[in-house]
Amino acid sequence: MLSNTCKYALRALIYLGKFSEDDKRIGIKKISEDLGLSSPFLGKILQNLVKQKLLVSTKGPNGGFAIAKKTDEITLWDIVIKVDGEEFFTNCLISLEPCKTHDPSKPLCPVHAQYEKLRGEISSFYQKTTLETISKDIDKFEDLVRL
């Protein structure tokens, strides 16, 4: 399961990917109001994404945030890995440890084989889905705000 921080990051990056322009930044207040998210919490998330080089930011009256790369170069995988780490893609469904650290002398969890296949499909989806792909699927602003 993705953390709320990661979900907020995904929503904000999708929003910026759809609505930011090269020469114009969008302010934190506008982003938080449009997405219905807490401005202080979202601000911390966006600053982290700047450090992770997924966003750029400018201070001042015309400041704000914008995507750091082309939207076809940022995948959902990139975002999740930078915000939540690899655990979403490697952890066991039942056990508290990643499957890759499994002790071979002990039995695997009862859903390992089924979940391993599903986890592979999920990983593939996240690696192939770009912000550009999602932006094309969002026809209007209302579609994004409902997320």
Side-chain angles (χ1 to χ4, degrees):
M1 173 95 44
L2 297 174
S3 70
N4 282 343
T5 300
C6 191
K7 290 176 186 179
Y8 282 16
L10 287 166
R11 289 179 66 194
L13 280 161
I14 292 166
Y15 174 90
L16 288 166
K18 180 73 176 176
F19 300 110
S20 67
E21 300 169 7
D22 292 337
D23 57 342
K24 186 179 177 204
R25 308 278 192 254
I26 301 175
I28 183 70
K29 186 175 179 182
K30 172 101 172 110
I31 300 167
S32 65
E33 284 176 3
D34 286 351
L35 295 178
L37 303 174
S38 162
S39 185
F41 186 46
L42 183 60
K44 289 178 184 178
I45 294 168
L46 297 183
Q47 285 302 328
N48 180 46
L49 295 173
V50 170
K51 289 178 188 170
Q52 298 291 337
K53 308 236 187 280
L54 292 173
L55 292 178
V56 292
S57 68
T58 307
K59 293 181 181 182
N62 294 321
F65 296 89
I67 300 290
K69 304 176 184 178
K70 294 178 182 178
T71 55
D72 65 346
E73 295 175 357
I74 300 175
T75 64
L76 296 181
W77 174 273
D78 298 328
I79 300 164
V80 172
I81 293 294
K82 301 235 188 237
V83 176
D84 276 357
E86 217 177 275
E87 290 79 23
F88 178 72
F89 302 105
T90 60
N91 278 358
C92 177
L93 183 63
I94 296 174
S95 173
L96 299 177
E97 281 108 38
C99 291
K100 65 182 178 184
T101 63
H102 174 73
D103 179 353
S105 67
K106 296 181 181 176
L108 291 165
C109 85
V111 296
H112 178 81
Q114 294 161 314
Y115 190 64
E116 184 174 35
K117 179 182 178 201
L118 180 59
R119 185 176 39 226
E121 292 170 4
I122 291 169
S123 295
S124 177
F125 168 78
Y126 277 78
Q127 290 171 1
K128 291 177 182 176
T129 305
T130 65
L131 291 180
E132 180 181 56
T133 306
I134 296 170
S135 291
K136 287 180 180 177
D137 290 340
I138 297 174
D139 293 330
K140 51 190 176 289
F141 176 73
E142 292 80 23
D143 292 342
L144 180 59
V145 176
R146 279 190 289 222
L147 294 178

